[in-house]
Amino acid sequence: MTPAELAEVVLSAAHAVFTERGFDPAALPERTTVERPRHPDHGDYASTLALQLSKKVGVPPRELAAALAEQLGRAAGVKSVEIAGPGFLNIRLDAAAAGQLARAIVESGTEYGRSERLAGLKINLEFVSANPTGPVHIGGVRWAAVGDALSRLLRATGADVGTEYYFNDAGSQIDRFARSLLAAAKGEPAPEDGYGGAYIAEIAGQVRAIRPDVLDLADAAAQEVFRVEGVALMFAEIRSSLRSFGVEFDTYFNEKDLHDRGELDLALNRLREQGHLFEADGATWLRTTDFGDDKDRVLRKSNGEWTYFAADCAYYLDKRERGFERVVIMLGADHHGYLGRMKAMSACFGDDPAVNLEILIGQLVNLVRDGAPVRMSKRAGTVVTLEDLVDAIGVDASRYALARYSSDSPIDIDVELWTRATRDNPVYYVQYVAARTASVGRNAAEVGLDRGDADAFRPELLDHEKENELLKALAEFPAVVAAAAELREPHRVARYLEDLAGAYHRFYDNCRILPRGDEEVTDLHRARLWLNDATRTVIANGLRLLGVSAPERM
């Protein structure tokens, strides 16, 4: 019995009690949930339904809990129900009902853990969004791992998600990039405010290969060639490196398109219609202080130039006009100052910032080797890049390490730890279970053991303490996925998988799955193989949500 099925049984018992006592069924919720108690001694699952309903029907919670417990005790698969505290229901399942979960998981396959919790919600999820002036640095890589995992989680819970990468390919940083490329092509030092690193010389060389005549042009014309071609080359490199990291976006959006299509003027007019613009000192301002910002913001300077914030406004409006109900933006640690102005901007458009805009801030990441932070890339010159991280520990370890921690916490990624083939390496610990469960399946086939028909499965045989512990851990997966999606916390999945791996190791050490020698294959062996394969399914499903492989061999 899955937790969701048990929750339906609890709700059905409540319906029966309400019918018997003549209570209004409208007071019952459409659905309820059950949870794992903090202490295993308190039972398999706990329900607070009696506490939730007591005031609505005017019955003391323990009295209502007693009625629910009596009704629940008659349900198939429920071994016992105890009342605790002010009216908690602690429920124990019989071994057969608990063990049925193994079959349900195997039969569900990749669907186990998925739900419709967020069905109907259309979300635009923007992450990474690095300027096309250099390779993706390690801070951006964190958002690549976390953002991609979050998109998978949101989709697994029914949301309609569009992932998006925003290229800031307009403005002064692109001018500095073009001037840096031109200087490198001429063999001159980088401009004082320009970009350095070997990659600048590489791209400059590629541009010259595309346009051999570029240095014959006047500087202004040559700089424009380096801008157009250099941005395109950098854009292609960023996309390629992200793709090799397992991250592909539904939409790659260029800031320049906002300018070319006149969308900044469109946003300005919309804000003017809302009554939030004013003119001062020859510039056009947005009165964001009306909605809690610390100061009003300039959209158009007195010289007619647009500000970056004007493009932010136009981009937000573009997303909303494309039908996205919620705009989720992931920003780096240096963007805390954007929160107030972006929330205020959303309100200026007439939106509810609490509903339509969500901004997540990620903290810093350090790559550590021999106890000291790695400060810069051989190629980029100033930062550690995606390629540096992958070269150091691999794609799977990188993605797992970056998604394993709450994004609002700084992290150090220790090269020695994350490349170690030992149980203290978290990704190895989890992937080892994926490989071990696959190995058990192969070994079972060699000795003639298979699960057999589902109808012949004997779940009541899974009554060992460690089998029950593993079943409880497997049952938690759908709730973990839902919580990770709703709270935007993919690290919950990683930590869950490590707990599940521990439960499997304890089961494996205490409950022999394969027959020894000439030992006859029994229904218990088959039942345990169901449980082994259910674990393989959940480990694989969980790792897939993180964009990490579930190897069959290690």
Side-chain angles (χ1 to χ4, degrees):
M1 184 183 300
T2 67
E5 290 169 341
L6 178 58
E8 287 298 316
V9 171
V10 172
L11 197 55
S12 177
H15 274 283
V17 169
F18 271 46
T19 299
E20 289 175 359
R21 298 200 171 200
F23 297 147
D24 182 2
L28 288 168
E30 291 186 7
R31 66 180 186 181
T32 188
T33 58
V34 294
E35 298 177 350
R36 285 273 301 274
R38 291 184 180 179
H39 302 289
D41 293 344
H42 293 171
D44 297 326
Y45 296 99
S47 170
T48 59
L49 189 60
L51 294 168
Q52 297 168 26
L53 295 175
S54 63
K55 286 186 179 179
K56 294 182 179 180
V57 297
V59 175
R62 281 189 67 90
E63 180 183 331
L64 185 57
L68 285 172
E70 182 181 354
Q71 190 68 38
L72 266 175
R74 302 175 194 149
V78 175
K79 181 178 181 180
S80 65
V81 185
E82 298 172 357
I83 304 168
F88 296 105
L89 294 172
N90 289 336
I91 306 165
R92 286 181 170 81
L93 302 180
D94 62 37
Q100 287 286 2
L101 178 66
R103 181 173 66 184
I105 291 172
V106 173
E107 292 178 339
S108 296
T110 57
E111 292 299 305
Y112 184 67
R114 302 179 69 88
S115 71
E116 294 298 312
R117 290 283 284 272
L118 299 180
L121 182 61
K122 190 171 183 181
I123 299 174
N124 181 281
L125 179 62
E126 180 201 340
F127 55 100
V128 183
S129 294
N131 292 336
T133 55
V136 180
H137 62 76
I138 196 168
V141 182
R142 183 176 199 175
W143 276 139
V146 174
D148 188 61
L150 182 54
S151 72
R152 295 166 187 247
L153 284 163
L154 292 169
R155 286 171 176 146
T157 47
D160 180 0
V161 181
T163 58
E164 196 144 319
Y165 188 118
Y166 181 62
F167 272 97
N168 301 97
D169 58 345
S172 59
Q173 83 278 5
I174 299 299
D175 293 335
R176 294 198 303 272
F177 179 61
R179 284 190 280 109
S180 300
L181 293 175
L182 177 58
K186 290 181 173 182
E188 298 173 355
E192 188 174 336
D193 61 347
Y195 297 92
Y199 78 95
I200 290 291
E202 292 172 13
I203 293 174
Q206 292 173 40
V207 173
R208 290 191 66 185
I210 295 169
R211 287 288 305 271
D213 65 331
V214 64
L215 293 183
D216 297 331
L217 303 175
D219 279 358
Q223 184 175 315
E224 179 61 15
V225 170
F226 278 108
R227 186 192 70 78
V228 173
E229 300 294 349
V231 166
L233 288 165
M234 197 72 251
F235 187 0
E237 180 180 324
I238 290 171
R239 287 189 64 168
S240 176
S241 62
L242 287 170
R243 190 178 299 116
S244 68
F245 196 59
V247 179
E248 189 70 73
F249 290 84
D250 298 319
T251 301
Y252 292 89
F253 195 104
N254 288 16
E255 179 188 349
K256 189 172 181 294
D257 291 342
L258 292 171
H259 293 264
D260 294 345
R261 296 197 299 246
E263 293 196 40
L264 280 81
D265 284 307
L266 178 65
L268 198 73
N269 292 336
R270 186 71 59 86
L271 292 166
R272 182 173 283 111
E273 290 169 4
Q274 294 288 334
H276 300 299
L277 293 187
F278 67 96
E279 306 291 328
D281 303 322
T284 303
W285 298 67
L286 181 63
R287 191 174 282 106
T288 53
T289 52
D290 284 351
F291 298 98
D293 195 8
D294 59 344
K295 61 181 179 180
D296 295 324
R297 304 289 171 175
V298 176
L299 297 183
R300 202 166 204 167
K301 302 175 185 178
S302 57
N303 63 4
E305 291 182 0
W306 294 103
T307 63
Y308 286 120
F309 187 57
D312 290 337
C313 294
Y315 187 37
Y316 173 80
L317 180 61
D318 181 274
K319 291 176 178 178
R320 294 285 286 121
E321 293 288 291
R322 281 185 272 146
F324 291 105
E325 175 187 349
R326 178 164 298 181
V327 173
V328 181
I329 307 172
M330 297 179 159
L331 298 174
D334 57 343
H335 285 74
H336 271 287
Y338 280 67
L339 290 171
R341 76 187 71 171
M342 293 295 287
K343 290 286 187 179
M345 172 266 289
S346 170
C348 288
F349 276 118
D351 284 348
D352 181 349
V355 173
N356 303 116
L357 178 62
E358 187 175 339
I359 297 178
L360 307 176
I361 300 291
Q363 292 301 317
L364 299 175
V365 183
N366 288 311
L367 183 64
V368 177
R369 181 182 279 111
D370 298 326
V374 177
R375 293 297 183 189
M376 63 180 61
S377 165
K378 291 179 181 178
R379 180 165 179 261
T382 55
V383 293
V384 176
T385 67
L386 185 157
E387 286 77 12
D388 296 324
L389 179 62
V390 170
D391 287 347
I393 66 175
V395 172
D396 276 351
S398 297
R399 290 192 60 133
Y400 193 97
L402 290 164
R404 184 178 184 259
Y405 301 92
S406 174
S407 56
D408 59 6
S409 300
I411 55 174
D412 290 333
I413 297 178
D414 188 321
V415 172
E416 284 76 20
L417 170 65
W418 288 96
T419 54
R420 202 176 291 156
T422 58
R423 292 176 65 157
D424 59 345
N425 175 350
V427 70
Y428 179 86
Y429 186 60
V430 173
Q431 287 185 316
Y432 184 74
V433 171
R436 172 171 270 185
T437 51
S439 174
V440 167
R442 291 192 299 271
N443 293 337
E446 289 177 4
V447 299
L449 168 63
D450 61 47
R451 295 193 306 263
D453 295 337
D455 292 340
F457 174 47
R458 298 281 304 280
E460 70 275 10
L461 298 177
L462 299 175
D463 60 358
H464 190 282
E465 175 189 359
K466 299 306 177 185
E467 292 165 341
N468 185 254
E469 179 187 344
L470 179 55
L471 284 163
K472 286 181 181 179
L474 293 170
E476 287 184 13
F477 184 58
V480 169
V481 173
E486 291 175 339
L487 299 173
R488 319 293 192 245
E489 295 180 343
H491 69 274
R492 290 173 175 264
V493 174
R495 298 309 177 102
Y496 162 80
L497 290 175
E498 291 163 37
D499 290 342
L500 176 60
Y504 178 80
H505 285 307
R506 290 187 289 274
F507 155 73
Y508 184 89
D509 291 342
N510 288 275
C511 304
R512 185 165 183 82
I513 303 171
L514 304 178
R516 284 192 175 96
D518 296 331
E519 183 182 354
E520 183 181 351
V521 172
T522 67
D523 286 338
L524 178 58
H525 293 126
R526 296 187 185 94
R528 286 176 173 170
L529 187 58
W530 277 96
L531 186 50
N532 175 84
D533 293 355
T535 305
R536 165 81 190 174
T537 297
V538 175
I539 288 285
N541 289 357
L543 286 172
R544 189 179 302 110
L545 289 171
L546 300 177
V548 177
S549 69
E552 294 193 356
R553 289 179 170 85
M554 288 183 72

